[in-house]
PDB file of all heavy atoms in Angstrom:
ATOM      1  N   SER A 271    -131.403 -27.473  77.968  1.00  0.00           N
ATOM      2  CA  SER A 271    -130.478 -28.512  77.598  1.00  0.00           C
ATOM      3  C   SER A 271    -131.218 -29.647  76.837  1.00  0.00           C
ATOM      4  O   SER A 271    -130.821 -30.808  77.051  1.00  0.00           O
ATOM      5  CB  SER A 271    -129.831 -29.145  78.834  1.00  0.00           C
ATOM      6  OG  SER A 271    -128.971 -28.121  79.391  1.00  0.00           O
ATOM      7  N   SER A 272    -132.332 -29.465  76.171  1.00  0.00           N
ATOM      8  CA  SER A 272    -132.885 -30.560  75.365  1.00  0.00           C
ATOM      9  C   SER A 272    -133.350 -30.025  74.038  1.00  0.00           C
ATOM     10  O   SER A 272    -134.208 -29.215  73.863  1.00  0.00           O
ATOM     11  CB  SER A 272    -134.204 -30.910  76.165  1.00  0.00           C
ATOM     12  OG  SER A 272    -134.933 -31.839  75.384  1.00  0.00           O
ATOM     13  N   SER A 273    -132.560 -30.521  73.036  1.00  0.00           N
ATOM     14  CA  SER A 273    -132.866 -30.077  71.734  1.00  0.00           C
ATOM     15  C   SER A 273    -134.217 -30.682  71.187  1.00  0.00           C
ATOM     16  O   SER A 273    -134.897 -30.051  70.459  1.00  0.00           O
ATOM     17  CB  SER A 273    -131.723 -30.358  70.742  1.00  0.00           C
ATOM     18  OG  SER A 273    -131.332 -31.683  70.728  1.00  0.00           O
ATOM     19  N   ALA A 274    -134.517 -31.890  71.733  1.00  0.00           N
ATOM     20  CA  ALA A 274    -135.766 -32.499  71.244  1.00  0.00           C
ATOM     21  C   ALA A 274    -136.888 -31.758  71.880  1.00  0.00           C
ATOM     22  O   ALA A 274    -137.963 -31.447  71.306  1.00  0.00           O
ATOM     23  CB  ALA A 274    -135.781 -33.986  71.763  1.00  0.00           C
ATOM     24  N   LEU A 307    -126.981 -33.846  65.628  1.00  0.00           N
ATOM     25  CA  LEU A 307    -126.538 -33.110  66.877  1.00  0.00           C
ATOM     26  C   LEU A 307    -125.126 -32.655  66.774  1.00  0.00           C
ATOM     27  O   LEU A 307    -124.194 -33.374  67.308  1.00  0.00           O
ATOM     28  CB  LEU A 307    -126.819 -34.033  68.122  1.00  0.00           C
ATOM     29  CG  LEU A 307    -128.309 -34.359  68.467  1.00  0.00           C
ATOM     30  CD1 LEU A 307    -128.751 -35.590  67.715  1.00  0.00           C
ATOM     31  CD2 LEU A 307    -128.408 -34.521  69.877  1.00  0.00           C
ATOM     32  N   GLY A 309    -123.371 -30.157  67.987  1.00  0.00           N
ATOM     33  CA  GLY A 309    -122.718 -29.718  69.202  1.00  0.00           C
ATOM     34  C   GLY A 309    -122.404 -31.041  69.996  1.00  0.00           C
ATOM     35  O   GLY A 309    -121.151 -31.123  70.604  1.00  0.00           O
ATOM     36  N   THR A 310    -123.284 -31.899  70.107  1.00  0.00           N
ATOM     37  CA  THR A 310    -123.039 -33.162  70.774  1.00  0.00           C
ATOM     38  C   THR A 310    -121.784 -33.975  70.157  1.00  0.00           C
ATOM     39  O   THR A 310    -120.887 -34.496  70.938  1.00  0.00           O
ATOM     40  CB  THR A 310    -124.335 -34.022  70.783  1.00  0.00           C
ATOM     41  OG1 THR A 310    -125.294 -33.317  71.436  1.00  0.00           O
ATOM     42  CG2 THR A 310    -124.072 -35.448  71.356  1.00  0.00           C
ATOM     43  N   TYR A 313    -118.593 -32.379  71.070  1.00  0.00           N
ATOM     44  CA  TYR A 313    -118.246 -32.553  72.533  1.00  0.00           C
ATOM     45  C   TYR A 313    -117.746 -33.982  72.732  1.00  0.00           C
ATOM     46  O   TYR A 313    -116.773 -34.195  73.415  1.00  0.00           O
ATOM     47  CB  TYR A 313    -119.510 -32.278  73.294  1.00  0.00           C
ATOM     48  CG  TYR A 313    -119.399 -32.549  74.773  1.00  0.00           C
ATOM     49  CD1 TYR A 313    -118.560 -31.795  75.553  1.00  0.00           C
ATOM     50  CD2 TYR A 313    -120.036 -33.658  75.427  1.00  0.00           C
ATOM     51  CE1 TYR A 313    -118.575 -32.052  76.945  1.00  0.00           C
ATOM     52  CE2 TYR A 313    -119.961 -33.956  76.723  1.00  0.00           C
ATOM     53  CZ  TYR A 313    -119.220 -33.061  77.500  1.00  0.00           C
ATOM     54  OH  TYR A 313    -119.088 -33.317  78.832  1.00  0.00           O
ATOM     55  N   VAL A 348    -128.007 -40.269  69.739  1.00  0.00           N
ATOM     56  CA  VAL A 348    -128.216 -39.523  71.081  1.00  0.00           C
ATOM     57  C   VAL A 348    -129.517 -38.930  71.007  1.00  0.00           C
ATOM     58  O   VAL A 348    -129.845 -38.191  70.166  1.00  0.00           O
ATOM     59  CB  VAL A 348    -127.089 -38.555  71.309  1.00  0.00           C
ATOM     60  CG1 VAL A 348    -127.413 -37.666  72.524  1.00  0.00           C
ATOM     61  CG2 VAL A 348    -125.706 -39.239  71.630  1.00  0.00           C
ATOM     62  N   THR A 349    -130.257 -39.067  72.041  1.00  0.00           N
ATOM     63  CA  THR A 349    -131.631 -38.473  72.143  1.00  0.00           C
ATOM     64  C   THR A 349    -131.425 -36.986  72.715  1.00  0.00           C
ATOM     65  O   THR A 349    -130.456 -36.762  73.498  1.00  0.00           O
ATOM     66  CB  THR A 349    -132.552 -39.191  73.180  1.00  0.00           C
ATOM     67  OG1 THR A 349    -132.453 -40.559  72.840  1.00  0.00           O
ATOM     68  CG2 THR A 349    -133.936 -38.747  73.018  1.00  0.00           C
ATOM     69  N   GLY A 350    -132.117 -36.111  72.201  1.00  0.00           N
ATOM     70  CA  GLY A 350    -131.842 -34.680  72.543  1.00  0.00           C
ATOM     71  C   GLY A 350    -132.487 -34.289  73.887  1.00  0.00           C
ATOM     72  O   GLY A 350    -133.392 -33.430  74.040  1.00  0.00           O
ATOM     73  N   ILE A 351    -131.906 -34.974  74.984  1.00  0.00           N
ATOM     74  CA  ILE A 351    -132.310 -34.653  76.240  1.00  0.00           C
ATOM     75  C   ILE A 351    -131.121 -34.376  77.107  1.00  0.00           C
ATOM     76  O   ILE A 351    -130.023 -34.597  76.670  1.00  0.00           O
ATOM     77  CB  ILE A 351    -133.033 -35.842  76.941  1.00  0.00           C
ATOM     78  CG1 ILE A 351    -132.274 -37.112  76.812  1.00  0.00           C
ATOM     79  CG2 ILE A 351    -134.485 -36.092  76.323  1.00  0.00           C
ATOM     80  CD1 ILE A 351    -132.783 -38.333  77.692  1.00  0.00           C
ATOM     81  N   PRO A 352    -131.248 -33.821  78.296  1.00  0.00           N
ATOM     82  CA  PRO A 352    -130.101 -33.299  79.058  1.00  0.00           C
ATOM     83  C   PRO A 352    -129.067 -34.450  79.290  1.00  0.00           C
ATOM     84  O   PRO A 352    -129.510 -35.580  79.699  1.00  0.00           O
ATOM     85  CB  PRO A 352    -130.699 -32.789  80.393  1.00  0.00           C
ATOM     86  CG  PRO A 352    -131.934 -32.345  80.040  1.00  0.00           C
ATOM     87  CD  PRO A 352    -132.472 -33.266  79.042  1.00  0.00           C
ATOM     88  N   SER A 353    -127.718 -34.043  79.195  1.00  0.00           N
ATOM     89  CA  SER A 353    -126.589 -35.076  79.490  1.00  0.00           C
ATOM     90  C   SER A 353    -126.700 -36.408  78.698  1.00  0.00           C
ATOM     91  O   SER A 353    -125.972 -37.313  79.073  1.00  0.00           O
ATOM     92  CB  SER A 353    -126.586 -35.420  80.950  1.00  0.00           C
ATOM     93  OG  SER A 353    -126.273 -34.208  81.693  1.00  0.00           O
ATOM     94  N   ALA A 354    -127.467 -36.483  77.575  1.00  0.00           N
ATOM     95  CA  ALA A 354    -127.526 -37.678  76.851  1.00  0.00           C
ATOM     96  C   ALA A 354    -126.285 -38.149  76.284  1.00  0.00           C
ATOM     97  O   ALA A 354    -125.979 -39.349  76.102  1.00  0.00           O
ATOM     98  CB  ALA A 354    -128.570 -37.500  75.863  1.00  0.00           C
ATOM     99  N   SER A 355    -125.318 -37.197  75.980  1.00  0.00           N
ATOM    100  CA  SER A 355    -124.149 -37.574  75.303  1.00  0.00           C
ATOM    101  C   SER A 355    -123.156 -38.362  76.148  1.00  0.00           C
ATOM    102  O   SER A 355    -122.271 -39.015  75.671  1.00  0.00           O
ATOM    103  CB  SER A 355    -123.401 -36.450  74.599  1.00  0.00           C
ATOM    104  OG  SER A 355    -123.362 -35.301  75.352  1.00  0.00           O
ATOM    105  N   LEU A 356    -123.382 -38.341  77.512  1.00  0.00           N
ATOM    106  CA  LEU A 356    -122.502 -39.004  78.334  1.00  0.00           C
ATOM    107  C   LEU A 356    -122.561 -40.530  78.030  1.00  0.00           C
ATOM    108  O   LEU A 356    -121.469 -41.248  78.088  1.00  0.00           O
ATOM    109  CB  LEU A 356    -122.912 -38.798  79.897  1.00  0.00           C
ATOM    110  CG  LEU A 356    -122.576 -37.357  80.358  1.00  0.00           C
ATOM    111  CD1 LEU A 356    -123.045 -37.203  81.743  1.00  0.00           C
ATOM    112  CD2 LEU A 356    -121.077 -37.015  80.253  1.00  0.00           C
ATOM    113  N   ASP A 380    -120.102 -30.762  82.748  1.00  0.00           N
ATOM    114  CA  ASP A 380    -121.121 -31.219  81.801  1.00  0.00           C
ATOM    115  C   ASP A 380    -122.290 -30.260  81.746  1.00  0.00           C
ATOM    116  O   ASP A 380    -122.890 -30.045  80.624  1.00  0.00           O
ATOM    117  CB  ASP A 380    -121.522 -32.593  82.097  1.00  0.00           C
ATOM    118  CG  ASP A 380    -122.447 -33.152  80.953  1.00  0.00           C
ATOM    119  OD1 ASP A 380    -121.836 -33.275  79.829  1.00  0.00           O
ATOM    120  OD2 ASP A 380    -123.629 -33.426  81.086  1.00  0.00           O
ATOM    121  N   ASP A 384    -123.408 -28.705  78.375  1.00  0.00           N
ATOM    122  CA  ASP A 384    -124.653 -29.314  77.836  1.00  0.00           C
ATOM    123  C   ASP A 384    -125.490 -28.173  77.268  1.00  0.00           C
ATOM    124  O   ASP A 384    -126.100 -28.251  76.154  1.00  0.00           O
ATOM    125  CB  ASP A 384    -125.325 -30.120  78.919  1.00  0.00           C
ATOM    126  CG  ASP A 384    -126.414 -31.030  78.360  1.00  0.00           C
ATOM    127  OD1 ASP A 384    -126.378 -31.150  77.076  1.00  0.00           O
ATOM    128  OD2 ASP A 384    -127.071 -31.660  79.093  1.00  0.00           O
ATOM    129  N   ARG A 387    -123.929 -26.832  74.005  1.00  0.00           N
ATOM    130  CA  ARG A 387    -123.947 -27.815  72.831  1.00  0.00           C
ATOM    131  C   ARG A 387    -125.393 -27.949  72.402  1.00  0.00           C
ATOM    132  O   ARG A 387    -125.614 -28.194  71.159  1.00  0.00           O
ATOM    133  CB  ARG A 387    -123.221 -29.118  73.131  1.00  0.00           C
ATOM    134  CG  ARG A 387    -123.904 -29.995  74.115  1.00  0.00           C
ATOM    135  CD  ARG A 387    -123.054 -31.332  74.328  1.00  0.00           C
ATOM    136  NE  ARG A 387    -123.677 -32.209  75.318  1.00  0.00           N
ATOM    137  CZ  ARG A 387    -123.377 -32.320  76.577  1.00  0.00           C
ATOM    138  NH1 ARG A 387    -122.268 -31.669  77.097  1.00  0.00           N
ATOM    139  NH2 ARG A 387    -123.992 -33.152  77.406  1.00  0.00           N
ATOM    140  N   THR A 388    -126.256 -27.935  73.364  1.00  0.00           N
ATOM    141  CA  THR A 388    -127.739 -28.043  72.863  1.00  0.00           C
ATOM    142  C   THR A 388    -128.202 -26.908  71.990  1.00  0.00           C
ATOM    143  O   THR A 388    -128.782 -27.135  70.968  1.00  0.00           O
ATOM    144  CB  THR A 388    -128.668 -28.121  74.188  1.00  0.00           C
ATOM    145  OG1 THR A 388    -128.195 -29.164  75.014  1.00  0.00           O
ATOM    146  CG2 THR A 388    -130.077 -28.473  73.685  1.00  0.00           C
ATOM    147  N   ASN A 391    -126.828 -27.672  68.695  1.00  0.00           N
ATOM    148  CA  ASN A 391    -127.605 -28.692  68.052  1.00  0.00           C
ATOM    149  C   ASN A 391    -128.884 -28.075  67.409  1.00  0.00           C
ATOM    150  O   ASN A 391    -129.237 -28.404  66.267  1.00  0.00           O
ATOM    151  CB  ASN A 391    -128.010 -29.704  69.072  1.00  0.00           C
ATOM    152  CG  ASN A 391    -126.943 -30.617  69.601  1.00  0.00           C
ATOM    153  OD1 ASN A 391    -125.866 -30.608  68.933  1.00  0.00           O
ATOM    154  ND2 ASN A 391    -127.063 -31.274  70.658  1.00  0.00           N
TER     155      ASN A 391
HETATM  156  N1  LIG B 501    -128.535 -32.147  75.724  1.00  0.00           N
HETATM  157  C1  LIG B 501    -128.301 -32.442  74.375  1.00  0.00           C
HETATM  158  C2  LIG B 501    -129.386 -32.072  73.443  1.00  0.00           C
HETATM  159  O1  LIG B 501    -130.469 -32.163  73.923  1.00  0.00           O
HETATM  160  C3  LIG B 501    -127.773 -33.877  74.108  1.00  0.00           C
HETATM  161  C4  LIG B 501    -126.389 -34.063  74.727  1.00  0.00           C
HETATM  162  O2  LIG B 501    -125.404 -33.760  74.028  1.00  0.00           O
HETATM  163  O3  LIG B 501    -126.324 -34.478  75.910  1.00  0.00           O
HETATM  164  O4  LIG B 501    -129.292 -31.919  72.282  1.00  0.00           O
END
Side-chain angles (χ1 to χ4, degrees):
S271 294
S272 170
S273 52
L307 291 92
T310 295
Y313 175 71
V348 169
T349 313
I351 53 171
S353 296
S355 43
L356 290 177
D380 191 62
D384 197 5
R387 66 182 183 255
T388 305
N391 290 343

